[in-house]
Amino acid sequence: MYDTLDEVRADISARLANAAANRHSPMHTPVVATTDADARVMVLRAFDADHWTLRFHTDARSPKVAVIEGDPRMAVLAYDRDAKIQLRLRGTARIERDGAMVDAAWAESTNFARRCYLGEGPGAISDVPTSGLPLEFERDEPDDVQLVPARENFAVLVMQAEEIDWFSLAHHGHRRAVLARHGAARWIAP
């Protein structure tokens, strides 16, 4: 149990950095909510502790992209059941389709992961159950040349966290703190 807000801030940074780097972390797949009251689980790809930014990959054709571009407010909820720590992040998001960061994120992805951007756009209607992928890639990994058209559908969602609500569940008494990106922090009743 932490007794200082500096310890809480360090805990938040360590948990989110681990979540981005470790696919076995319980916070690796947080819930991401947009202003249309829609929520989905996404993979946290990167966390920058100095700037409080989180990076996710998304399909540029996804409905959430239009929602974020219309109203960038966003929230993220992550929970570590074993540690009994909940993080609620509030901030703004932006969609990046081009540039060094997006190119690096694309390059870091495997061809198997990139194939998701070859198929139908998220939410496309189908008369039969479908993965949305072209049939030839249902089970097989495309090569680099086959993936060229997928790149235009790939985008990066970057969330700038402005506030993080840290909540620790404990039998002897819960603790909660709210921290702002620019340093303000306070303990609050759970």
Side-chain angles (χ1 to χ4, degrees), residues 78-111:
Y79 183 65
D80 183 331
R81 181 180 174 200
D82 292 337
K84 296 181 179 165
I85 300 285
Q86 172 184 274
L87 300 179
R88 292 189 304 161
L89 296 81
R90 290 180 191 88
T92 56
R94 69 181 188 276
I95 302 297
E96 300 280 340
R97 291 176 175 83
D98 298 302
M101 175 183 50
V102 181
D103 290 340
W106 179 255
E108 290 168 7
S109 298
T110 65
N111 282 5

Side-chain angles (χ1 to χ4, degrees), residues 125-130:
I125 296 171
S126 174
D127 293 332
V128 297
T130 180

Side-chain angles (χ1 to χ4, degrees), residues 10-174:
D11 181 67
I12 291 168
S13 291
R15 284 183 192 286
L16 292 174
N18 180 56
N22 176 5
R23 67 185 204 129
H24 299 291
S25 165
M27 292 187 174
H28 183 62
T29 52
V31 175
V32 175
T34 46
T35 57
D36 59 346
D38 199 3
R40 78 278 296 148
V41 173
M42 294 184 73
V43 175
L44 178 60
R45 303 291 182 170
F47 173 68
D48 181 332
D50 292 332
H51 299 101
W52 273 26
T53 56
L54 293 83
R55 187 188 70 182
F56 303 91
H57 297 172
T58 192
D59 192 308
R61 302 166 295 173
S62 170
K64 72 178 162 291
V65 169
V67 171
I68 289 167
E69 290 177 336
D71 185 343
R73 292 175 296 158
M74 192 174 107
V76 173
L77 171 66
Y79 183 65
D80 183 331
R81 181 180 174 200
D82 292 337
K84 296 181 179 165
I85 300 285
Q86 172 184 274
L87 300 179
R88 292 189 304 161
L89 296 81
R90 290 180 191 88
T92 56
R94 69 181 188 276
I95 302 297
E96 300 280 340
R97 291 176 175 83
D98 298 302
M101 175 183 50
V102 181
D103 290 340
W106 179 255
E108 290 168 7
S109 298
T110 65
N111 282 5
F112 201 72
R114 291 178 193 164
R115 76 186 176 128
C116 297
Y117 304 97
L118 278 173
E120 296 290 330
I125 296 171
S126 174
D127 293 332
V128 297
T130 180
S131 69
L133 293 171
L135 290 177
E136 65 267 30
F137 302 125
E138 281 280 340
R139 290 183 177 84
D140 297 326
E141 182 175 298
D143 63 31
D144 290 343
V145 173
Q146 292 168 315
L147 283 165
V148 168
R151 174 59 184 84
E152 72 183 62
N153 299 324
F154 177 77
V156 171
L157 185 165
V158 178
M159 180 205 191
Q160 173 67 69
E162 295 298 334
E163 180 180 271
I164 301 178
D165 185 317
W166 175 92
F167 184 42
S168 173
L169 295 153
H171 180 70
H172 58 277
H174 310 319

